[in-house]
Amino acid sequence: PRVDAALCAASRRGVMNSPWSDVVRSISASWTSIAITIACIYVLRLFLIPKRGAVTRGDDEDEDDETFPEPMPKGDLTTAALRAYDGSDPAKPILLAAKGIVFDVTRGRDFYGKGGPYNAFTGIDCSRALGKVSLEKENLCADVGDFAASERDALNQWVGKFEDKYPVVGKLTDGKYNGKF
């Protein structure tokens, strides 16, 4: 609009007959073309290109296809009862205990289910293994009596992650967790 007004004013003063009149007209036309092109690209981008992080219909369908057993009802368990929820039966929830607290980790079945990298933690109180960041058989227990401060911190970080991500089912009634932290 300003350029058009300037052109009209210039034409009234007789400047449009000067050698610069063609330059002014081409600049005006160029800016208008650029503005229209940018607007078209923006509109096309809005409708044709999905935003980053947006869930597309195909991504959402994969999630719906995966079925999980009913969540474990809240309640305390014995260590013997906990062993039945080790991920070997896909019809049952997957449970693990840390610091005597039982977590339902079924939603992390890829990690904790049968064949998963952390399946050794399920069906037991795995406090020692978490604190030592170990999958060794001798560390798959609740005994943390000899833990150093760094191991206590590692265990507490794991428990914090579990509390943030997975539902708490209850506590172990006869667990061997012997930590005071």
Side-chain angles (χ1 to χ4, degrees), residues 52-180:
R52 287 185 185 167
V55 177
T56 61
R57 197 174 293 245
D59 294 341
D60 197 25
E61 289 171 4
D62 291 341
E63 230 175 75
D64 292 340
D65 290 345
E66 191 167 8
T67 57
F68 294 100
E70 288 296 314
M72 182 73 177
K74 300 257 184 217
D76 295 341
L77 295 166
T78 64
T79 53
L82 180 62
R83 278 189 222 109
Y85 299 96
D86 64 355
S88 59
D89 184 351
K92 290 184 181 178
I94 303 169
L95 306 179
L96 65 76
K99 293 177 66 171
I101 304 167
V102 180
F103 296 95
D104 184 340
V105 295
T106 307
R107 290 264 174 207
R109 149 168 57 205
D110 291 343
F111 294 103
Y112 300 103
K114 186 175 181 179
Y118 300 123
N119 179 249
F121 294 160
T122 61
I124 62 169
D125 187 324
C126 59
S127 297
R128 184 175 190 84
L130 293 172
K132 292 208 172 267
V133 191
S134 168
L135 288 168
E136 300 296 324
K137 189 171 180 119
E138 65 269 9
N139 290 322
L140 295 173
C141 63
D143 179 21
V144 296
D146 62 343
F147 265 20
S150 62
E151 293 166 327
R152 284 193 307 266
D153 292 345
L155 173 57
N156 288 331
Q157 286 176 353
W158 272 104
V159 171
K161 288 177 188 177
F162 289 141
E163 288 172 336
D164 290 342
K165 193 169 185 178
Y166 301 112
V168 173
V169 172
K171 294 186 179 234
L172 285 177
T173 57
D174 62 347
K176 306 286 187 216
Y177 174 72
N178 59 357
K180 309 262 189 277

Side-chain angles (χ1 to χ4, degrees), residues 4 16 20 31 44-45 47 95 131 154 158-159 168 170 176:
D4 291 340
M16 291 307 288
W20 291 101
W31 283 109
L44 287 173
R45 185 173 175 266
F47 291 107
L95 306 179
W158 272 104
V159 171
V168 173
K176 306 286 187 216

Side-chain angles (χ1 to χ4, degrees), residues 32-47:
T32 304
S33 297
I34 290 171
I36 290 171
T37 303
I38 290 172
C40 288
I41 290 171
Y42 179 75
V43 169
L44 287 173
R45 185 173 175 266
L46 283 176
F47 291 107

